[in-house]
Amino acid sequence: MGFGRNSSVRSSGDSLDGMLNDYDGGKTKMKAQKSGSTKFVAALTCLQFFFAVYATFLLYYMGPSIDLRTKPDFTWATRIAQQWKQLMITPHVVGHYQEAFSSLTTDEIQPITPSLVCENEKIDFMQKKSNDVQMIKFKRELYNEVLEFQNKNFGTETLPELMRMKSKWALHGPNKPKITVLLNHFKRKTLCAQLDSLLQQTLPFYHVWVLSFGSPNEHSLKRIVESYNDSRISFISSSYDFKYYGRFQMALQTEADLVYIVDDDMIPGKKMLQILAHVAGTDKYKNSVLGSIGRILPFRQKDFTFPSYRKFRSKEAGLYLPDPAYDITIDKIVQVDFLSSSWFLSAELVKTLFIETPFTFSTGEDLHLSYQLQKYRNAGSYVLPVDPNDKETWGDSEHRLAYVSETTVIFKDIVQVRDDQWWKALSTGYVTQWAAMYPQKVDALFYAHTVDEVKTLAPLLEKFRSTVGKKAYIVVSGGTYCPCENAAAALKWPMFVCKERRFKIFDLALGALSGVSNSEVPVVQAVYSSMKGLIKIHNPSVLITVADIDPNVRKALKMASETNSNSTTLVLLPRASISKVLWMADLRSTALPNWNKMRISINIITQNRVNSLARLLKSLTNAYYLGDEVPITFNMDSKVDEATIKLVGSLEWAHGPKTLRRRIIQGGLIRAVSESWYPSSDDDFGLLLEDDIEVSPYYYLWIKYALLAYHYDPQVSLPELSSISLYTPKLVEVVKERPKWNATEFFKPIHPNTPYLHQLPCSWGAVFFPKHWREFYVYMNMRFTENAKENPVQIPKSRTNGWQASWKKFLIDMMYLRGYVSLYPNFPNQASFSTNHMEPGAHISAKDNVVKHNKQDFEVPLLKEDFRNFLPGMKMPPASKLPSLNLFNQPLSLRGLKAAGAKLGQDVLRCNNATELVTVDHQTGLPQRCSKF
């Protein structure tokens, strides 16, 4: 690469003048002395010898194999040597030498001026103007839509408004910016016009670098630079063609504050540097790249595909701005997807272009720059407005040149390459104007880093994609990790899904950034930056991946999901659980973001049944927990035995923290249960289990599914739901006769296995809701008595009226008085998520308990297979379709349940109206007032 300045021409010219003056002086002296022919020949011989020395000195530079561009500028000396070479071979008479010197004086001594070397580009066509009415309509409509959106969301300014904005840069003084201008030239004859315009700028430039990479016109370009004789203007050349990225590589070397990279088809107006610098100094646009021509990439078509950006007669093909062909001028600043022909930005931002390896070096540096700036700097690309009556404010004062330059991209193969490039950018997180204007909403975005992870996630992905009304896409790492083609094969999808411009699978091509590296940083950066953009475009409710994914990738996914203001939840699923949570696809997209919101804690009440406790712990350990943190707490009364203490102490609980609590004074079952858990937040749910309970491997899935479907879905209103039971009762518990009851038979007319709502709380495995449990605490505190006869609540025909010292009795009373219900499972053979083994304890077989308990009336089979297969339509029914039963297993609407409680009128506050119930402060559980229901 050679660097040339005009100063070399000046210094070379000074040496030549001195040499020729010496020669003229010598010749005059010879004539004055009127010497003879001998003296003349002697003098001539000396002169020949003098130039022979020069010829010898320059012999190296006369060789035809030598590239003079890489050597110091001795052009003048080379030409002298060439002249004297001829004379030495054929020495005739003095006239030959005189002619040589006469020619040398004319060509070399006279200074080169721009007027002698400049050429002008000939434009022999008129500005393109379309007469296609439909296309004019399409383009204008789309342009107006873009402007309206941008003006509404972040505001757009006219040129006068921009110039009135406060800027850090000024025309004079210490805040005057240094601007390096890079002019890239190949064949076009516009260099003089560009330099003339730059030399007349209202804000002077710092440096101008004229670049010539592999240009056939290098010699003439260099002569033009030399002719301007300005030390600020440098010529940089190379025989190698660095193509479109070379100028940006050169821009990395500047010491200036700002760089202005200009194609050879742009003749900026004289006020352009002042305007660009002022806008670049504003707070709003300081993190931006500015230009005069830009393009808005294609919009999605009705068939959900994206057209080529060069598609003819298509509104969705995007916009070229400004576009005189359709009378589209820029009167307000407009954000575009990429700029063409000129780029003005801070020198610091230039390096962003090279963070990722470009899709290709053959074209597309314009798109790659805008894509990288947005992806890694959150920087926008803007076309500046102009004053239509003042060409000095234009960045392209001769727009026809820009049209000529586009002939380089009209060939089919180049169009295809650029189409592939912008689609790749959109597929890896580039938020185009279409994406900003039309934010998508998908239910799930899957991420797989390896082909094995693709196979693992495939069942859940296919369930989402096959569920009516659901959208789900998959992102793969690409590169050497998991190429799109391998992922498609694993999913049994056709290979064309990796090529078509339709959202389905996204290949991040991670190798473009990470390459060969022993550091985790490139992978984290690549995954985070791409996923952040994809999440912003598609707004998934959940981002799903496997729990054992590479830890660095997991960090990147977590950071990316947290950047979305519309709430995207990262879901890390253990591989063994993925096929068990296909019901995720049946949840509303509004419920899915709450996947990680709930905290379900296990609270075990135990004392001296170590074998029962061991059985319970084994069943808990074998359950599916979906990677959630599930704390476990052991509540032991004062009489706990040694074996139990050793068992709970030795337990390795892999799903969360373990807590041991032991009473000093024996509290009995009522205190052991009611005080075993208290919610720490409205998302804290307590599972209460006595040690003679055993659970199904699917129990946690049932709880989570129910909570998401009926509690965490904002479109569902079911405030009456206070708990979720794991157990399906076989008896009507509150009736004196305790008749047998089968929910499957009872609900057969609706659906034999529909879940149902019941006013009876469950004490053999249930999850209690935080708001209602706080309420229960206050209620029991206000109503607690050891003597059942002193309890003011007497539910008609209920066996519970005579229960002594039972926490469940007080909970039943509260639920009856306030119309609360519990959700119960209902599966074939009364299979449940928990069973009660009815082993001797505080109530069962107790001396003061006259009720005889038949174990067969309470034990139920545990579900050992996916319960989803038994649900109506293989999913939870809508809340409005759940049947409800009163305390006595009789069908009654939720309103009817409340009416019964209001009619009894025995709550802690006396409500005078039969249509009113006690309402409470859910943060404290304290009763507040009576309200109509």
Side-chain angles (χ1 to χ4, degrees):
M1 208 174 276
F3 295 77
R5 287 186 182 271
N6 295 332
S7 57
S8 62
V9 177
R10 293 198 301 274
S11 61
S12 300
D14 293 341
S15 301
L16 184 61
D17 285 342
M19 181 179 66
L20 292 178
N21 287 336
D22 290 343
Y23 170 74
D24 287 339
K27 186 170 65 172
T28 303
K29 291 176 183 178
M30 285 188 290
K31 288 183 179 180
Q33 295 172 0
K34 299 181 180 180
S35 59
S37 59
T38 302
K39 292 181 179 181
F40 176 78
V41 171
L44 183 59
T45 301
C46 291
L47 191 58
Q48 284 181 314
F49 177 78
F50 176 78
F51 280 103
V53 172
Y54 270 90
T56 302
F57 180 71
L58 300 173
L59 182 61
Y60 177 76
Y61 299 103
M62 294 172 60
S65 63
I66 301 304
D67 185 357
L68 295 179
R69 290 171 301 192
T70 62
K71 307 299 182 291
D73 188 1
F74 286 105
T75 305
W76 61 273
T78 303
R79 290 175 181 169
I80 293 173
Q82 289 172 341
Q83 291 281 350
W84 280 94
K85 180 180 177 182
Q86 281 296 112
L87 294 174
M88 284 187 287
I89 293 173
T90 315
H92 288 159
V93 293
V94 176
H96 290 285
Y97 302 102
Q98 293 172 333
E99 288 174 6
F101 277 106
S102 175
S103 174
L104 185 64
T105 302
T106 302
D107 293 341
E108 302 297 334
I109 298 177
Q110 183 176 348
I112 302 173
T113 62
S115 61
L116 294 176
V117 295
C118 281
E119 296 178 283
N120 295 314
E121 192 73 37
K122 293 181 180 179
I123 303 176
D124 54 2
F125 61 89
M126 299 296 292
Q127 176 66 58
K128 294 180 181 179
K129 290 289 183 181
S130 175
N131 57 5
D132 188 327
V133 177
Q134 184 179 13
M135 278 302 296
I136 293 173
K137 179 175 179 290
F138 282 165
K139 297 292 185 181
R140 291 299 313 181
E141 284 179 351
L142 184 55
Y143 179 56
N144 290 335
E145 289 172 12
V146 170
L147 276 185
E148 182 180 358
F149 169 79
Q150 294 186 6
N151 190 54
K152 179 180 178 181
N153 284 270
F154 49 82
T156 56
E157 298 86 13
T158 62
L159 183 57
E161 289 171 339
L162 286 171
M163 298 307 290
R164 285 195 295 268
M165 294 171 67
K166 185 179 179 181
S167 176
K168 67 179 289 188
W169 301 121
L171 281 175
H172 309 285
N175 293 329
K176 178 182 175 182
K178 293 180 180 179
I179 302 172
T180 293
V181 183
L182 293 93
L183 306 176
N184 196 62
H185 275 264
F186 192 71
K187 286 186 177 181
R188 195 179 299 283
K189 302 173 182 178
T190 54
L191 179 55
C192 290
Q194 288 183 323
L195 292 176
D196 289 343
S197 173
L198 291 171
L199 287 167
Q200 299 177 58
Q201 290 291 312
T202 54
L203 175 63
F205 58 80
Y206 178 62
H207 281 140
V208 171
W209 294 349
V210 178
L211 312 180
S212 173
F213 299 143
S215 170
N217 296 344
E218 178 185 335
H219 180 69
S220 61
L221 292 171
K222 183 178 181 181
R223 281 175 59 86
I224 290 172
V225 172
E226 293 170 346
S227 73
Y228 277 84
N229 196 26
D230 191 324
S231 62
R232 297 175 300 163
I233 305 174
S234 302
F235 182 75
I236 305 172
S237 65
S238 171
S239 59
Y240 182 80
D241 186 1
F242 289 94
K243 295 187 177 179
Y244 302 99
Y245 285 85
R247 49 192 165 174
F248 292 96
Q249 290 172 303
M250 291 304 306
L252 294 173
Q253 306 298 320
T254 184
E255 299 174 354
D257 303 304
L258 302 161
V259 294
Y260 187 29
I261 302 171
V262 186
D263 273 358
D264 56 6
D265 58 8
M266 301 291 285
I267 314 296
K270 298 173 184 177
K271 299 177 182 177
M272 204 61 210
L273 287 184
Q274 178 185 351
I275 294 171
L276 288 166
H278 180 87
V279 176
T282 63
D283 286 340
K284 185 174 182 179
Y285 297 106
K286 63 184 178 183
N287 186 40
S288 305
V289 55
L290 309 173
S292 301
I293 298 175
R295 187 176 284 278
I296 290 177
L297 287 168
F299 283 43
R300 192 165 64 178
Q301 302 176 123
K302 292 181 180 179
D303 64 354
F304 295 98
T305 64
F306 289 80
S308 168
Y309 81 108
R310 303 284 296 191
K311 184 177 180 181
F312 183 61
R313 294 181 66 82
S314 170
K315 178 180 179 180
E316 291 81 11
L319 291 169
Y320 175 79
L321 299 172
D323 200 337
Y326 300 104
D327 288 327
I328 296 178
T329 57
I330 307 300
D331 54 5
K332 287 188 174 184
I333 191 169
V334 58
Q335 186 171 8
V336 294
D337 293 323
F338 66 90
L339 297 167
S340 297
S341 300
S342 68
W343 302 265
F344 189 91
L345 66 166
S346 73
E348 173 66 20
L349 290 178
V350 176
K351 65 182 70 172
T352 313
L353 176 66
F354 302 100
I355 293 179
E356 291 184 12
T357 303
F359 182 77
T360 174
F361 283 99
S362 300
T363 184
E365 82 295 351
D366 43 10
L367 171 60
H368 191 65
L369 175 64
S370 293
Y371 167 47
Q372 296 291 279
L373 284 172
Q374 184 198 92
K375 187 173 183 178
Y376 293 104
R377 296 296 188 104
N378 198 28
S381 303
Y382 297 89
V383 173
L384 291 184
V386 299
D387 180 347
N389 300 316
D390 183 3
K391 274 199 170 186
E392 305 306 336
T393 66
W394 297 10
D396 56 334
S397 57
E398 181 45 81
H399 196 77
R400 287 176 294 176
L401 289 171
Y403 273 88
V404 174
S405 71
E406 282 216 329
T407 57
T408 60
V409 294
I410 64 173
F411 302 107
K412 182 180 178 182
D413 54 343
I414 297 297
V415 171
Q416 183 61 53
V417 169
R418 289 178 69 87
D419 273 336
D420 290 344
Q421 184 189 21
W422 70 255
W423 175 249
K424 190 67 179 177
L426 181 59
S427 300
T428 52
Y430 188 33
V431 184
T432 64
Q433 295 308 299
W434 168 82
M437 292 171 64
Y438 299 99
Q440 303 299 290
K441 180 59 186 174
V442 300
D443 297 277
L445 198 60
F446 289 77
Y447 180 85
H449 202 65
T450 65
V451 176
D452 188 50
E453 291 172 11
V454 173
K455 295 176 181 178
T456 302
L457 292 168
L460 186 56
L461 172 63
E462 289 304 317
K463 177 62 171 67
F464 266 98
R465 293 186 61 82
S466 62
T467 300
V468 177
K470 289 291 189 291
K471 286 184 182 179
Y473 308 133
I474 185 169
V475 184
V476 296
S477 56
T480 58
Y481 301 98
C482 181
C484 179
E485 291 75 12
N486 293 3
L491 293 167
K492 299 180 181 179
W493 290 355
M495 288 296 107
F496 68 77
V497 299
C498 296
K499 299 296 182 183
E500 66 174 345
R501 292 192 290 270
R502 181 194 299 271
F503 295 140
K504 191 170 185 179
I505 184 169
F506 306 112
D507 184 331
L508 299 188
L510 289 191
L513 177 59
S514 57
V516 178
S517 174
N518 292 326
S519 172
E520 75 282 0
V521 173
V523 173
V524 172
Q525 184 178 13
V527 174
Y528 166 71
S529 57
S530 292
M531 291 303 298
K532 179 183 68 171
L534 286 173
I535 289 172
K536 186 173 182 179
I537 294 170
H538 299 285
N539 290 293
S541 296
V542 286
L543 173 59
I544 302 174
T545 191
V546 295
D548 60 345
I549 196 169
D550 180 278
N552 296 312
V553 175
R554 182 169 65 243
K555 292 176 186 175
L557 295 175
K558 185 175 185 296
M559 288 190 297
S561 64
E562 290 172 351
T563 62
N564 187 19
S565 59
N566 294 327
S567 298
T568 293
T569 298
L570 176 62
V571 176
L572 302 168
L573 293 175
R575 295 178 187 243
S577 299
I578 289 175
S579 62
K580 308 295 190 297
V581 292
L582 301 185
W583 44 263
M584 277 186 75
D586 296 317
L587 295 168
R588 285 194 182 93
S589 59
T590 51
L592 283 170
N594 295 311
W595 183 270
N596 297 329
K597 197 171 184 180
M598 65 197 72
R599 182 179 183 269
I600 302 167
S601 60
I602 301 171
N603 301 273
I604 298 175
I605 297 91
T606 187
Q607 181 168 260
N608 53 15
R609 293 186 292 199
V610 66
N611 293 331
S612 300
L613 178 60
R615 180 183 57 217
L616 170 60
L617 294 180
K618 182 180 179 181
S619 68
L620 288 170
T621 302
N622 293 333
Y624 299 104
Y625 292 100
L626 308 180
D628 292 357
E629 182 182 83
V630 183
I632 189 168
T633 299
F634 293 91
N635 296 275
M636 300 171 285
D637 223 329
S638 63
K639 297 180 181 180
V640 60
D641 58 21
E642 180 180 357
T644 299
I645 293 175
K646 287 182 177 180
L647 177 61
V648 299
S650 63
L651 174 69
E652 296 291 336
W653 184 246
H655 307 288
K658 179 181 73 172
T659 303
L660 307 184
R661 298 171 60 193
R662 181 179 177 181
R663 282 184 171 272
I664 296 175
I665 299 174
Q666 191 77 3
L669 188 61
I670 188 170
R671 291 179 178 85
V673 174
S674 61
E675 297 177 8
S676 64
W677 168 76
Y678 192 83
S680 60
S681 72
D682 287 345
D683 297 305
D684 188 6
F685 298 83
L687 170 62
L688 307 188
L689 297 172
E690 293 187 47
D691 51 16
D692 62 343
I693 304 296
E694 186 180 4
V695 298
S696 157
Y698 293 87
Y699 89 90
Y700 188 84
L701 305 185
W702 160 254
I703 296 170
K704 186 138 187 165
Y705 190 4
L707 283 172
L708 288 165
Y710 301 129
H711 183 73
Y712 278 106
D713 187 343
Q715 299 184 46
V716 172
S717 177
L718 194 57
E720 299 86 359
L721 186 60
S722 64
S723 59
I724 299 171
S725 173
L726 307 183
Y727 178 82
T728 304
K730 298 172 72 173
L731 301 174
V732 181
E733 187 178 355
V734 299
V735 176
K736 184 177 181 180
E737 297 78 12
R738 293 193 303 170
K740 293 185 178 181
W741 189 75
N742 188 312
T744 301
E745 293 295 326
F746 187 85
F747 291 112
K748 188 175 289 185
I750 301 173
H751 188 283
N753 299 126
T754 181
Y756 63 94
L757 302 174
H758 195 185
Q759 203 167 23
L760 177 74
C762 178
S763 58
W764 296 316
V767 169
F768 295 94
F769 288 20
K771 293 179 181 179
H772 301 81
W773 193 256
R774 294 189 198 105
E775 196 174 332
F776 168 59
Y777 252 60
V778 173
Y779 178 86
M780 192 168 73
N781 181 61
M782 297 177 72
R783 286 288 170 84
F784 179 75
T785 174
E786 296 284 356
N787 186 350
K789 295 180 180 180
E790 296 178 2
N791 192 327
V793 180
Q794 299 294 311
I795 300 173
K797 301 180 180 180
S798 173
R799 192 171 64 88
T800 63
N801 293 331
W803 287 3
Q804 300 283 340
S806 169
W807 69 273
K808 188 174 181 178
K809 149 71 176 169
F810 294 104
L811 184 55
I812 289 174
D813 289 351
M814 188 191 80
M815 290 179 66
Y816 187 89
L817 291 169
R818 298 176 185 177
Y820 294 151
V821 292
S822 182
L823 178 72
Y824 278 79
N826 172 25
F827 298 110
N829 301 317
Q830 294 179 291
S832 301
F833 298 104
S834 69
T835 187
N836 182 0
H837 290 289
M838 299 300 291
E839 292 167 342
H843 282 321
I844 307 301
S845 302
K847 294 180 181 179
D848 58 346
N849 192 343
V850 297
V851 179
K852 301 300 179 183
H853 295 87
N854 186 342
K855 192 172 183 178
Q856 293 181 347
D857 292 337
F858 294 91
E859 277 191 322
V860 294
L862 292 173
L863 271 169
K864 299 295 184 181
E865 59 182 306
D866 192 346
F867 63 90
R868 175 175 161 270
N869 298 322
F870 302 111
L871 293 172
M874 298 184 71
K875 61 182 179 181
M876 289 282 203
S880 60
K881 299 293 184 182
L882 290 172
S884 55
L885 305 177
N886 67 6
L887 192 59
F888 307 99
N889 291 50
Q890 298 167 338
L892 191 63
S893 68
L894 295 178
R895 184 176 179 82
L897 296 177
K898 293 177 181 179
K903 182 179 180 181
L904 185 61
Q906 295 176 355
D907 209 331
V908 293
L909 296 181
R910 294 291 180 177
C911 299
N912 298 323
N913 195 314
T915 60
E916 291 183 339
L917 292 177
V918 172
T919 57
V920 303
D921 180 345
H922 287 299
Q923 292 300 315
T924 63
L926 295 170
Q928 290 185 315
R929 59 185 177 275
C930 294
S931 301
K932 289 189 176 182
F933 57 89

